[in-house]
Amino acid sequence: MGEKQVDKYLGSVQLNISKKELYQMLAEALDDQGNNKEAIRYFMQSLWEYEQEKKPDPLWEISFWSSISLTYINGYQYNEAKQALNRVMSLVEKISVSQKEYEDIFLTVSLNMGLLYMRLLEYDKAEDCLFVALNFCKRKEDEFKITINLGWLYLSMWQNERAIDYAYMALQIIKDIPSTRKDRDDAEIYQLLSQAYARLGREEEGLRLIDEAIGLQENVPSVYLCRCLCLKGIILRKMDRKASLEFHQKALDMLFELKMEDTELLLTILANKIESEEDFCPEEIELMKKAVDNGNLPDSYYKMNIFTSIVSASLSLGSMAEAFYYSARALEIYQRLVTEAVRYGSVEKLINYKKDMRFFYELFFLGLMDRVPDLSGIPGDSPLMLWMQNYKLGDYYLLRQIRQPSGEEDADADRYHLAAELNYLNYMSEFLHRKPETERQHKLLLEKSRAEYNSFRGQQDSQKTEEAEEENRYEGFWCMDYYCPEYKRFRAHTCGFVIVWQFARPESKRIVKIGDAVSLKDSILQLRDAVVRDVSTQAQAQKLYQLLLAPVMEEVPDLKKVQKFIICPDGMLALVPFEILLGPGCRILYIPFMDLLQGKKSQYVGRAAVGGCPVITRENLFGLSPLQHSGEECDSVAGALRSVGHMVEVFSGNGEIGGKPFSKAEFLKYIEEEPLSIIHLSSHGFYREQENMFFISDTCEEMDNPYKRCGIIMNDVVKEHGYCPAESVLFGEDVLCLNLKNTRLVVLSACVSGVGSGAGGEWLTGLQRAFLSAGAENMIVSLWEVEEESTAVLMNYFYGYLKEGMFFDMALCQAKKDLIRYQGGIYSTPFYWAGFIYIGNIESMG
């Protein structure tokens, strides 16, 4: 409706309404239909009419800026929305309004501010604003708006059960509201419920609800119906790919029919449609590029995800230039968003970026690098090389960013606390919002860290000097940072990569392609199978050598004579005993992140805890048998540690001989009393895949938690209902809650203590990562089920060399050589000596 039509309309109706009010009404109606640009145009016309009247009307201005703020939010113009809401509050301060008018205004401002913070992913602020609005609520219509938006907020925060609760609350409220748009409101509730149920694995319920939503509005094409059709396509993707495509296409056709300029919805439909297709459609990719380039979508992790879809499609279509271009744009957004997230300290933002960037790293570096014929010419300081170096774990990259000094003490403290929280929660991408009680525990832990931070600041200068001295220890070491893709996630066949460089010359970094992912996985499994069965490993080791090391040796011939390696293995590569491939004479350090080589080293030498020889009952559901040599091993270890000045507490058996019983409760109590320098545990260890978790827990949440699927058997507690794992097992999750920042060495002399779950771009999530996350600096763990007697002999040799002042890693290496020669070679095969690896730095007990 143009200006002439407005004049004609005003002349034909007997309404006490001005032009400015009519334009505002038209703008609000257009915004409600999703026509954002036209809505803003009519809002501006309304403002122009008001200025022409030259009659101040503060109440109208308040109404105007409140309305347009919501339109700005829907149009992704967030700065303009903030300015409009600030304008409202400044107007309220200048005029006198009644209590009721003030409450109505403040309700609208709080509601719109909550919606704005939701879009900015600042969920804590959004929640506060929405509850403030709820406190001012007097009408059912307003209560419904706030309640349904709280449901969407909790869905965004992955609190799916709470989202469902608020959706049903909204459904109860709307029953009492006579409304012309009741069908659309009901449809929105059903849409919210369907997404929440689908996330909880209840796809059938989700489909039933989304069908309800579609049924309420299918006779009238609208932007809301488009969203419902797209959502149904998403839910159907795993169940019926063909049907999923059909619904995405229906949504796309309807959006074109409506001629709506909803960039976000268009890109959402296109991205999900492409995800459901077997082959990429060039026309759809071009449409995505046009929409994201010419649209008004702000920089966000959502936009970054759209870029990853374009990168993936470009790679499959062979458009390398497009892949490079959109990858660079995504990286720019990521860097900017991380800077903002660190500045504002939003854990929610950081976790979202971590999840999205993990996929982006894999897409970019696996897909793109797989097609670059010659990697040797890439400069060591290029952005490509730097990003390749930092692909390993999204949250660890964030930790590095957070810990950079800002010059402001309070900001530094916040960064330190946030770093501690992220390190503690490095596996809880979804659990953070699903477990509020855990979140409260984390906040309490962070409060305790302020004192630690103050001492941390005071030690920085001396730490720099120590780091300079530390680098000399790694003279002659070569670093190999591996990455092996989770190949099933990619349409294109991809290979693995390794960055290799001399520690003393970081500028010499080179990226080398290694064997393809499928072959690597098969070869690793074959080698491990041969080792565990204690048969000849020569053929399997040679095959894996050709995949993992031969390409590197060919690219860097100097490596053939090297015997010192720092290896940062990725995913399943963390299960490879590299000593078998390189020879037992090589000195090998395993680390999850190269940055740990530069970390602060504890100088604490004090108490030590040595425990083993658990009492095993017949009710034990792990199917274990009592250990015969664990007690001897613990005595040997305790004697060696006492001889070098440690105060050692020995936990053994049930404590009947006078010592402390080897129980979970006693052990945790001892650790909490004061710092420990050395921890040695000789017992049964385990790691279970999800399908083998029934004997510990039948809850999905615990089965999803990798730290509940690994542990050390400390004792057997049997109650009326049977075996009690919670009081018998030191789980990885228990370890995470410990303070081990002064612990220099943890030795887990147990089966599979170095095994865990892992995807491409991650260090394994298991006991080893739990101890490292809790603060332990160095570890010795096992890669398979080890033999008890040979392990006791190995540990006896190991601690003997520690008494002589040898470095931890060298002591283990020399102990393995002695074990190979023990009693004429009865333990000479790799099964006995190659299973234990050293994770950490070059360090000694002295």
Side-chain angles (χ1 to χ4, degrees):
M1 187 182 288
E3 188 174 353
K4 291 182 180 179
Q5 288 89 336
V6 171
D7 289 333
K8 184 178 179 181
Y9 180 75
L10 286 171
S12 64
V13 295
Q14 299 300 316
L15 293 174
N16 185 21
I17 186 170
S18 64
K19 276 190 177 182
K20 69 174 186 293
E21 292 169 326
L22 181 59
Y23 278 122
Q24 183 180 346
M25 289 168 58
L26 288 169
E28 290 170 351
L30 287 165
D31 184 44
D32 193 48
Q33 295 169 9
N35 199 331
N36 187 263
K37 285 188 177 180
E38 281 295 295
I40 291 177
R41 188 168 74 83
Y42 277 105
F43 269 123
M44 293 298 103
Q45 185 66 33
S46 175
L47 185 61
W48 186 84
E49 294 289 345
Y50 170 69
E51 291 170 349
Q52 297 307 305
E53 289 180 0
K54 297 182 179 178
K55 296 179 182 178
D57 188 350
L59 287 176
W60 180 86
E61 282 192 63
I62 289 170
S63 170
F64 172 83
W65 290 111
S66 297
S67 295
I68 199 173
S69 68
L70 183 59
T71 305
Y72 281 138
I73 292 169
N74 293 334
Y76 319 111
Q77 296 174 255
Y78 301 140
N79 288 331
E80 290 83 352
K82 278 186 178 179
Q83 291 170 7
L85 291 169
N86 290 335
R87 181 77 174 268
V88 172
M89 296 311 298
S90 64
L91 285 167
V92 173
E93 290 173 1
K94 292 178 182 178
I95 65 173
S96 176
V97 294
S98 67
Q99 181 67 26
K100 183 180 183 306
E101 286 175 324
Y102 179 82
E103 289 179 354
D104 288 343
I105 294 168
F106 204 70
L107 183 150
T108 303
V109 171
S110 299
L111 174 58
N112 289 355
M113 192 63 78
L115 297 175
L116 176 60
Y117 282 129
M118 281 174 64
R119 289 295 188 94
L120 295 172
L121 307 181
E122 297 185 43
Y123 299 136
D124 50 347
K125 294 180 181 178
E127 189 176 32
D128 290 343
C129 288
L130 290 176
F131 275 110
V132 167
L134 200 59
N135 290 333
F136 285 100
C137 216
K138 297 291 189 296
R139 298 180 303 170
K140 288 287 185 181
E141 292 86 346
D142 294 328
E143 186 181 355
F144 169 76
K145 287 181 187 176
I146 298 166
T147 303
I148 192 66
N149 279 301
L150 279 167
W152 286 115
L153 171 66
Y154 291 126
L155 189 75
S156 302
M157 295 167 67
W158 289 87
Q159 294 187 25
N160 300 312
E161 292 85 354
R162 293 186 74 181
I164 290 170
D165 291 342
Y166 277 88
Y168 280 117
M169 286 166 57
L171 201 58
Q172 290 299 319
I173 295 168
I174 203 173
K175 288 180 180 179
D176 303 326
I177 303 175
S179 173
T180 56
R181 47 174 281 170
K182 186 175 184 304
D183 285 350
R184 206 180 79 189
D185 290 338
D186 282 343
E188 183 178 3
I189 295 172
Y190 292 141
Q191 185 181 351
L192 170 58
L193 284 168
S194 68
Q195 289 190 55
Y197 279 124
R199 281 187 181 178
L200 292 170
R202 297 165 63 178
E203 286 84 0
E204 294 295 337
E205 184 71 6
L207 284 174
R208 184 186 67 78
L209 288 161
I210 200 62
D211 283 338
E212 293 269 5
I214 292 171
L216 287 170
Q217 48 189 345
E218 62 183 350
N219 296 325
V220 183
S222 67
V223 67
Y224 308 102
L225 182 53
C226 285
R227 291 195 177 100
C228 289
L229 294 171
C230 179
L231 176 57
K232 184 167 183 179
I234 294 171
I235 297 174
L236 280 170
R237 185 182 300 144
K238 293 181 180 179
M239 306 166 65
D240 187 340
R241 189 176 287 270
K242 184 177 179 182
S244 172
L245 273 173
E246 290 175 0
F247 278 97
H248 286 311
Q249 189 61 54
K250 283 182 183 179
L252 198 59
D253 293 342
M254 186 174 293
L255 195 65
F256 290 147
E257 178 188 342
L258 293 168
K259 297 181 179 179
M260 292 286 117
E261 296 186 5
D262 192 324
T263 306
E264 184 176 7
L265 179 57
L266 173 63
L267 289 169
T268 299
I269 296 171
L270 284 171
N272 283 289
K273 184 173 184 291
I274 288 169
E275 186 73 18
S276 299
E277 290 174 327
E278 294 294 336
D279 299 307
F280 289 109
C281 175
E283 291 77 12
E284 290 175 351
I285 304 305
E286 287 302 316
L287 188 59
M288 280 187 76
K289 289 192 286 189
K290 184 178 178 181
V292 78
D293 287 336
N294 301 328
N296 55 358
L297 200 67
D299 287 350
S300 65
Y301 80 90
Y302 172 79
K303 186 174 182 179
M304 192 171 63
N305 265 345
I306 296 298
F307 282 145
T308 65
S309 296
I310 297 175
V311 170
S312 177
S314 299
L315 292 172
S316 295
L317 295 171
S319 304
M320 302 303 296
E322 296 283 353
F324 268 109
Y325 172 70
Y326 284 100
S327 295
R329 290 186 63 181
L331 288 173
E332 288 174 4
I333 294 174
Y334 177 59
Q335 289 175 304
R336 188 156 51 250
L337 293 179
V338 167
T339 302
E340 291 177 4
V342 170
R343 177 183 174 189
Y344 295 113
S346 170
V347 176
E348 290 84 357
K349 279 187 177 183
L350 293 171
I351 287 175
N352 276 320
Y353 300 153
K354 182 189 78 172
K355 289 191 294 185
D356 293 335
M357 283 311 295
R358 180 170 300 157
F359 177 67
F360 178 77
Y361 281 133
E362 293 170 348
L363 258 182
F364 178 49
F365 290 111
L366 296 183
L368 197 56
M369 299 296 289
D370 202 26
R371 290 164 172 78
V372 178
D374 182 15
L375 305 179
S376 61
I378 299 175
D381 59 349
S382 70
L384 181 63
M385 182 69 80
L386 294 175
W387 278 98
M388 182 68 182
Q389 184 64 48
N390 286 314
Y391 71 88
K392 264 290 170 72
L393 192 67
D395 55 0
Y396 196 77
Y397 173 72
L398 293 172
L399 285 171
R400 292 183 58 196
Q401 298 295 311
I402 292 163
R403 285 170 173 164
Q404 290 181 359
S406 68
E408 301 175 10
E409 185 167 345
D410 290 340
D412 267 353
D414 290 339
R415 284 161 173 73
Y416 183 76
H417 299 152
L418 187 54
E421 183 167 17
L422 277 172
N423 195 34
Y424 183 72
L425 291 172
N426 52 20
Y427 76 101
M428 278 188 160
S429 295
E430 294 183 9
F431 289 1
L432 177 65
H433 297 305
R434 283 160 51 180
K435 298 176 68 176
E437 69 282 3
T438 306
E439 192 173 7
R440 287 193 293 272
Q441 292 172 8
H442 301 157
K443 289 178 180 177
L444 291 174
L445 288 171
L446 295 180
E447 289 174 5
K448 294 178 182 178
S449 67
R450 283 197 177 274
E452 297 170 8
Y453 171 71
N454 292 331
S455 61
F456 167 80
R457 290 272 297 190
Q459 296 167 357
Q460 282 185 329
D461 292 338
S462 60
Q463 182 181 338
K464 290 178 181 178
T465 305
E466 292 172 8
E467 287 176 356
E469 296 174 354
E470 190 74 19
E471 288 192 8
N472 296 329
R473 293 189 177 183
Y474 300 103
E475 187 70 33
F477 275 88
W478 281 72
C479 304
M480 292 195 291
D481 193 348
Y482 278 94
Y483 184 62
C484 180
E486 197 178 1
Y487 59 89
K488 291 181 180 178
R489 294 181 58 182
F490 302 97
R491 303 181 186 214
H493 187 66
T494 54
C495 65
F497 302 93
V498 57
I499 305 176
V500 58
W501 73 99
Q502 198 170 355
F503 183 87
R505 297 178 56 214
E507 71 281 359
S508 64
K509 290 176 182 173
R510 303 273 293 275
I511 300 179
V512 180
K513 289 183 185 179
I514 55 175
D516 69 86
V518 180
S519 299
L520 275 172
K521 181 177 180 179
D522 291 342
S523 295
I524 292 170
L525 293 175
Q526 290 169 11
L527 176 61
R528 286 175 59 82
D529 179 63
V531 171
V532 171
R533 289 190 294 112
D534 201 11
V535 298
S536 174
T537 59
Q538 184 174 355
Q540 291 81 2
Q542 182 61 28
K543 182 179 178 181
L544 193 54
Y545 179 91
Q546 291 300 321
L547 292 169
L548 279 178
L549 293 171
V552 185
M553 300 295 182
E554 184 177 345
E555 189 76 24
V556 188
D558 293 346
L559 274 177
K560 294 177 181 177
K561 300 178 182 178
V562 174
Q563 289 193 311
K564 295 180 179 180
F565 295 94
I566 299 170
I567 297 177
C568 187
D570 163 60
M572 199 168 188
L573 290 177
L575 300 176
V576 176
F578 276 84
E579 283 172 298
I580 295 179
L581 309 182
L582 294 166
C586 288
R587 189 175 181 183
I588 301 174
L589 308 179
Y590 292 80
I591 54 172
F593 310 108
M594 287 294 176
D595 306 68
L596 295 185
L597 294 172
Q598 311 297 336
K600 173 182 173 291
K601 308 296 186 299
S602 170
Q603 300 303 314
Y604 176 74
V605 178
R607 297 193 318 156
V610 177
C613 201
V615 178
I616 303 297
T617 63
R618 288 182 297 177
E619 290 83 357
N620 189 290
L621 299 181
F622 292 85
L624 302 174
S625 57
L627 295 169
Q628 298 178 3
H629 301 276
S630 180
E632 302 168 11
E633 179 183 326
C634 290
D635 290 341
S636 172
V637 172
L641 293 176
R642 288 191 181 108
S643 68
V644 292
H646 285 274
M647 296 177 290
V648 183
E649 190 70 60
V650 180
F651 299 77
S652 183
N654 55 20
E656 290 179 354
I657 307 175
K660 289 197 173 186
F662 187 51
S663 70
K664 178 179 178 178
E666 286 283 344
F667 183 75
L668 291 178
K669 179 182 176 183
Y670 185 70
I671 288 182
E672 290 170 359
E673 289 174 358
E674 61 180 275
L676 291 178
S677 181
I678 304 286
I679 297 175
H680 180 101
L681 297 178
S682 173
S683 185
H684 288 292
F686 70 90
Y687 170 76
R688 292 288 186 267
E689 298 294 344
Q690 288 183 332
E691 59 268 22
N692 297 324
M693 278 289 291
F694 66 90
F695 58 83
I696 297 178
S697 173
D698 56 1
T699 65
C700 292
E701 186 171 297
E702 291 195 349
M703 290 174 69
D704 288 341
N705 182 347
Y707 291 110
K708 287 290 286 186
R709 305 203 304 268
C710 60
I712 298 288
I713 312 299
M714 306 293 285
N715 55 286
D716 274 3
V717 175
V718 180
K719 295 188 174 180
E720 292 180 2
H721 59 276
Y723 183 69
C724 183
E727 297 182 32
S728 306
V729 179
L730 182 69
F731 288 105
E733 190 170 58
D734 299 315
V735 175
L736 282 173
C737 300
L738 300 177
N739 178 8
L740 303 179
K741 67 183 184 67
N742 289 305
T743 304
R744 301 174 66 186
L745 178 64
V746 174
V747 179
L748 300 182
S749 179
C751 294
V752 295
S753 54
V755 179
S757 65
E762 286 194 5
W763 176 256
L764 292 179
T765 302
L767 280 172
Q768 81 290 59
R769 183 162 166 180
F771 276 97
L772 291 170
S773 296
E777 295 176 10
N778 310 292
M779 292 191 71
I780 292 177
V781 294
S782 63
L783 297 180
W784 48 73
E785 294 186 354
V786 294
E787 200 273 336
E788 184 191 352
E789 186 174 359
S790 61
T791 298
V793 174
L794 176 71
M795 293 302 165
N796 188 46
Y797 283 134
F798 171 70
Y799 282 94
Y801 287 118
L802 290 191
K803 285 168 58 178
E804 298 175 7
M806 196 174 284
F807 292 127
F808 295 149
D809 66 297
M810 281 298 295
L812 180 62
C813 182
Q814 191 59 48
K816 289 181 178 182
K817 292 179 182 178
D818 290 348
L819 182 65
I820 291 172
R821 295 190 293 264
Y822 181 75
Q823 291 189 4
I826 61 172
Y827 298 133
S828 61
T829 58
F831 168 72
Y832 297 102
W833 56 265
F836 283 99
I837 62 170
Y838 175 75
I839 303 171
N841 306 276
I842 296 177
E843 194 172 347
S844 68
M845 289 198 299

